Amino acid sequence: MENELKIGEYNRLRIVKEVPFGLYLDGYEDEILLPLQYVPESYEIDGYIDVFIYRDSEDRIIATTLKPLATINQFAFLEVKQVTPIGVFLEWGLMKDLLVPFGQQWEKMSVGKSYLVYVYLDPQTDRIVASARIDKFLSLLDEVEEFTIGQKVQALPFEYTNLGIKCLVNNCKLGQLFKNEIFTNVKLGELIDVYIDNIREDGKLDLRIEPIGIQRMDSQREKIMEAINQQGGTLNLHDKSPAEEIYEQLGMSKKDFKKAVGGLYKSKLITLGDNCIIKL
């Protein structure tokens, strides 16, 4: 509804008056304080300002111009700052940390470690909280987006497993990057572009760093030619080079390297020298 304050989201509110400790904004039903430390250098009474609305440590509705790492109804990868008798508190960019109640944890959460959580407004307390039990929130998003094999998507890596790395795909679906498909440095919490390799019966996605099929091979060939050009027309790699050395220089598996080199050779773009590849 219009003209309704939205807690846990950004709101565009009218500046009502100035006081020594900040500005009061029109919150429709009540005036809301924007503390002095968040007041911008320039503003006008009756002008509008974009602010994030939340509850402070005394449970009062308050405004800030700081930008949290996530708003409500979003997933985020956040670090635990403190463990208390009521739950853990996460760093999310505001003065007041974000609570994950013990009932919303699927494992014991530790200080200094980061976790994927879902941020939401608790309907019982009207407070912004987070949950590490992400499956129940993902189940509400199953019909949000349909995926196809080969599709390029954005993934948020969030957990190492025995198989590889768990990822959140397009903010709505779980996926898995398998160990044998990881040929580059993947950091938890940093968004990456990946490709869908398989869609499982349970709806979860198998992912890969490189595109599949012809598109993938084109990408690998381009990467090799770029490396050759950067090294003056000769690349000191060959089919007997250790897999580790190939990965270190090109970020690809030895299998993909040999296929791509074969394609470039057949296309007469390169020739094979003694322990090297030479551009024609």
Side-chain angles (χ1 to χ4, degrees), residues 49-60:
I49 186 170
D50 293 316
V51 292
F52 181 77
I53 301 296
Y54 70 112
R55 291 184 182 274
D56 66 12
S57 56
E58 297 181 19
D59 212 30
R60 298 171 299 191

Side-chain angles (χ1 to χ4, degrees), residues 35 37-38 52 54-58 62-69 81-82 89-98:
Q37 63 263 42
Y38 307 128
F52 181 77
Y54 70 112
R55 291 184 182 274
D56 66 12
S57 56
E58 297 181 19
I62 198 165
T64 181
T65 50
L66 293 177
K67 295 186 181 298
L69 298 176
K81 284 187 65 178
Q82 185 182 14
F89 284 89
L90 309 174
E91 168 62 54
W92 70 317
L94 300 184
M95 290 292 291
K96 182 184 178 184
D97 297 326
L98 181 63

Side-chain angles (χ1 to χ4, degrees), residues 138 153 155-159 161 164-170 172-178 194 196 198 200 203-207:
L138 286 167
V153 294
L156 177 69
F158 68 89
E159 182 185 346
T161 71
I165 303 176
K166 273 188 181 180
C167 300
L168 178 68
V169 178
N170 284 12
C172 67
K173 185 76 74 172
L174 287 181
Q176 178 81 44
L177 264 177
F178 292 96
V194 297
I196 297 175
N198 183 45
R200 297 186 229 164
K204 293 180 181 178
L205 308 172
D206 294 338
L207 308 171

Side-chain angles (χ1 to χ4, degrees), residues 183-239:
F183 305 118
T184 187
N185 187 22
V186 176
K187 295 182 179 179
L188 298 188
E190 293 188 5
L191 287 170
I192 57 173
D193 290 330
V194 297
Y195 297 84
I196 297 175
D197 193 40
N198 183 45
I199 302 173
R200 297 186 229 164
E201 291 184 2
D202 62 4
K204 293 180 181 178
L205 308 172
D206 294 338
L207 308 171
R208 66 191 310 156
I209 298 290
E210 296 287 348
I212 63 176
I214 296 174
Q215 184 182 7
R216 180 185 186 192
M217 291 312 301
D218 286 345
S219 172
Q220 306 288 28
R221 291 168 186 166
E222 288 175 6
K223 193 176 292 185
I224 291 172
M225 290 304 298
E226 182 179 351
I228 292 173
N229 289 331
Q230 288 176 348
Q231 296 186 26
T234 300
L235 180 64
N236 293 318
L237 290 174
H238 52 92
D239 61 353

